[in-house]
Amino acid sequence: MKIEQNFIANSFIASANSAMIPVYNPADGELVAQVPSATADEAIGAVKTAAQAQKSWRKLTSVERGAYLHKLADALLTHKEAIGTALALESGKSLEDATNEAVYAADITRYHAEWARRIEGEIIPSDSPSENLLLQREPIGVISCLIPFNYPVYTLLRKIAPALITGNTVVVRPSNNTPCSAFEIAKAVQAAGIPAGVVNILTMDHATAEIVCTHPKVGMITLTGSVGAGRKVLEYSQVNIAKSSLELGGKTPAIVEADADLQQAAREIVGSKTTNCGQLCTAVERVYVHEAVYDEFVSLLKQHMGERQFGDRAAQPAHMGPLVNDNARLNIHQMVERAIDDGAQLEVGGYIPEGQGHFYPPTLLTNCRQDMEIVQEEIFGPVLPVLKYSNAEEALELANDHQFGLASVIYTENYRTAMGMANNIEAGEVYINRTPADPYQGYHAGWKRSGLGGDDGKHGMLEFTQTRLVVQKY
């Protein structure tokens, strides 16, 4: 069992708090580490350290900051085995998937490093002939980064890389379910020679996280998490009118038209729903199938879900792994039971397995209605409700009749249908004839309750800036 320390000003610091947060392997329940629960004074000290470091970090040229990010990407690759090993133990992912996540984190870090010469302002015409209006992009200051458990390595770099290239410094709170990989990332920060105080990583309870987020030196809070967590962050942001960037819940609809490649659609939808045990914000969460191919497609879904095995990925890397904890499993199972009580038909799965680990089988529900909880609320697990529709207009109406609008999926071979739906679906991302996998040069932003602001690409990078208008009279 490992004992971790918080990372402040490029050093690992023993906490004054004797209370520790246990970290368990969700595949077997084994205690794999204990991490410190930062005190309020330690958290405030980290914010002050970041604020002091930001004064000199922002004065570096963006090219100099980019050079540091390239070094960080190199260090992440050098440390990828250690990061992957920690992540596999705390998340139940296979070692290969966990190590690859570190590689993807290096990729997105390098992507943002390459923005060094591309962070642009604007020259705006003035009403006066002897005046220039210059709109500059400037850093915000200290950014509080709240990291989820499902892809904690990738998401951590997805947030800090754009924050750093634009001249900000960060205080990172990793998920208490998956914090050990964050401390391995801290070692890569050390190895890259990032100036002290630019990146600070601390584990803490909710009360201490609130202290960080409401500190007057924190200018922005960025969160990937649930709608409930997003509402809490909005409360925090009101204290000092801090900027918020929120990537929240999703309920991705997949529309399967009668002319779709049904084999491809079934295979990819089941893959989306069972990747990381369905713990993915853009995973397909509800399927609308044209009535002409409904029975055939349900049969294909049932076949693929029935064939998908689950278990400890340390022993069987090809299996679907566990849910994050037993509360998540119980909540999902209770949703399935309520759906069945409300008239849904269980086709496969739908039980709590015996033995260790927080496993839940791939589960398929048919005879679902639009008003059912299982269709309206995010499941965040390997459960797939299926509904029938008669025409494209009805499918679009059902897909849009929802509180969430993060991602969406359309399977059809008719480009008119595809573009008509793509231009009218109420979601921040539309994937045609494939399932979601956020390209980091795109823009990952949700509509409705799926969030505010967004991540990735030019627009995600600019979220970490504020503007200054310089009115230059001559």
Side-chain angles (χ1 to χ4, degrees):
M1 181 188 69
K2 295 180 68 177
I3 304 294
E4 301 282 8
Q5 294 180 323
N6 283 324
F7 183 71
I8 305 172
N10 272 20
S11 297
F12 289 94
I13 308 296
S15 177
N17 191 352
S18 60
M20 302 291 282
I21 300 168
V23 181
Y24 298 97
N25 184 336
D28 58 17
E30 179 184 350
L31 180 67
V32 296
Q34 292 198 41
V35 299
S37 182
T39 66
D41 286 344
E42 289 164 351
I44 292 170
V47 173
K48 290 180 176 179
T49 296
Q52 184 63 35
Q54 201 264 337
K55 294 179 181 180
S56 55
W57 180 251
R58 67 170 297 171
K59 291 180 181 179
L60 295 178
T61 67
S62 55
V63 172
E64 290 174 310
R65 295 195 294 267
Y68 277 116
L69 285 182
H70 278 298
K71 291 177 182 177
L72 178 55
D74 292 339
L76 289 168
L77 293 178
T78 300
H79 290 74
K80 66 181 180 181
E81 284 82 8
I83 296 170
T85 298
L87 178 58
L89 281 173
E90 66 191 0
S91 70
K93 296 184 180 186
S94 71
L95 181 59
E96 180 181 8
D97 282 357
T99 304
N100 283 340
E101 191 172 331
V103 175
Y104 302 148
D107 288 345
I108 199 168
T109 300
R110 208 175 301 283
Y111 169 81
H112 284 290
E114 292 167 354
W115 272 102
R117 291 184 174 91
R118 300 179 178 89
I119 303 171
E120 301 171 343
E122 300 174 33
I123 300 175
I124 303 169
S126 171
D127 292 348
S128 170
S130 58
E131 189 174 82
N132 293 324
L133 305 182
L134 310 177
L135 189 67
Q136 301 172 338
R137 288 282 180 176
E138 297 291 340
I140 293 171
V142 179
I143 312 295
S144 174
C145 304
L146 308 178
I147 310 300
F149 70 83
N150 56 341
Y151 287 92
V153 170
Y154 182 78
T155 307
L156 195 154
L157 274 304
R158 188 188 215 179
K159 294 185 183 298
I160 73 170
L164 265 54
I165 194 61
T166 48
N168 305 283
T169 56
V170 298
V171 177
V172 177
R173 187 218 178 181
S175 166
N176 288 341
N177 290 298
T178 52
C180 300
S181 52
F183 292 126
E184 294 298 330
I185 291 171
K187 296 175 184 177
V189 171
Q190 280 183 323
I194 304 292
V198 171
V199 177
N200 307 274
I201 302 174
L202 298 85
T203 43
M204 61 191 78
D205 59 21
H206 291 303
T208 307
E210 181 176 359
I211 290 170
V212 170
C213 292
T214 56
H215 194 282
K217 290 187 180 297
V218 169
M220 176 176 172
I221 311 167
T222 175
L223 163 78
T224 297
S226 67
V227 173
R231 289 194 178 103
K232 188 62 68 174
V233 165
L234 288 176
E235 291 178 14
Y236 298 160
S237 68
Q238 292 177 32
V239 176
N240 296 301
I241 318 300
K243 183 176 182 179
S244 297
S245 179
L246 308 175
E247 197 257 75
L248 307 179
K251 191 71 178 175
T252 299
I255 298 172
V256 181
E257 278 280 87
D259 63 353
D261 183 330
L262 300 186
Q263 288 283 358
Q264 175 197 353
R267 182 177 64 252
E268 292 180 354
I269 287 171
V270 171
S272 172
K273 185 74 275 189
T274 57
T275 295
N276 202 31
C277 202
Q279 297 169 125
L280 176 62
C281 57
T282 56
V284 174
E285 283 255 333
R286 49 195 170 115
V287 183
Y288 299 100
V289 185
H290 194 282
E291 60 186 8
V293 293
Y294 179 84
D295 291 340
E296 180 182 358
F297 194 70
V298 166
S299 179
L300 288 171
L301 289 176
K302 186 175 180 178
Q303 173 192 335
H304 286 293
M305 294 197 86
E307 291 172 351
R308 191 77 168 94
Q309 295 180 297
F310 60 89
D312 190 343
R313 300 191 71 196
Q316 297 289 341
H319 284 181
M320 184 182 74
L323 293 161
V324 62
N325 54 43
D326 211 45
N327 281 339
R329 180 170 69 169
L330 181 60
N331 288 338
I332 289 168
H333 185 61
Q334 289 174 343
M335 287 182 75
V336 171
E337 289 185 319
R338 287 193 293 269
I340 294 170
D341 290 343
D342 199 21
Q345 181 173 327
L346 179 65
E347 300 288 347
V348 64
Y351 63 92
I352 294 180
E354 296 181 357
Q356 293 181 320
H358 310 308
F359 299 103
Y360 199 77
T363 299
L364 182 66
L365 294 168
T366 58
N367 198 38
C368 297
R369 301 187 315 274
Q370 183 73 5
D371 64 349
M372 283 182 171
E373 175 196 36
I374 205 79
V375 177
Q376 291 296 321
E377 299 296 334
E378 186 175 35
I379 304 166
F380 222 61
V383 179
L384 194 61
V386 184
L387 297 87
K388 185 188 299 185
Y389 70 88
S390 300
N391 54 61
E393 291 74 18
E394 182 187 5
L396 189 62
E397 182 179 352
L398 291 169
N400 288 341
D401 178 27
H402 214 277
Q403 62 180 317
F404 294 119
L406 189 57
S408 55
V409 174
I410 302 163
Y411 282 96
T412 179
E413 296 300 308
N414 187 315
Y415 84 93
R416 295 180 187 275
T417 301
M419 292 313 300
M421 287 188 175
N423 287 342
N424 290 283
I425 204 157
E426 296 170 359
E429 295 179 350
V430 184
Y431 292 82
I432 299 172
N433 292 326
R434 60 166 292 186
T435 50
D438 311 331
Y440 46 72
Q441 67 271 43
Y443 187 47
H444 181 61
W447 293 19
K448 304 178 184 178
R449 293 185 185 178
S450 287
L452 298 171
D455 296 301
D456 302 336
K458 171 184 176 180
H459 301 287
M461 180 267 297
L462 291 178
E463 290 285 343
F464 293 87
T465 67
Q466 57 189 346
T467 57
R468 177 193 294 121
L469 179 68
V470 177
V471 181
Q472 184 184 57
K473 189 78 173 177
Y474 64 92

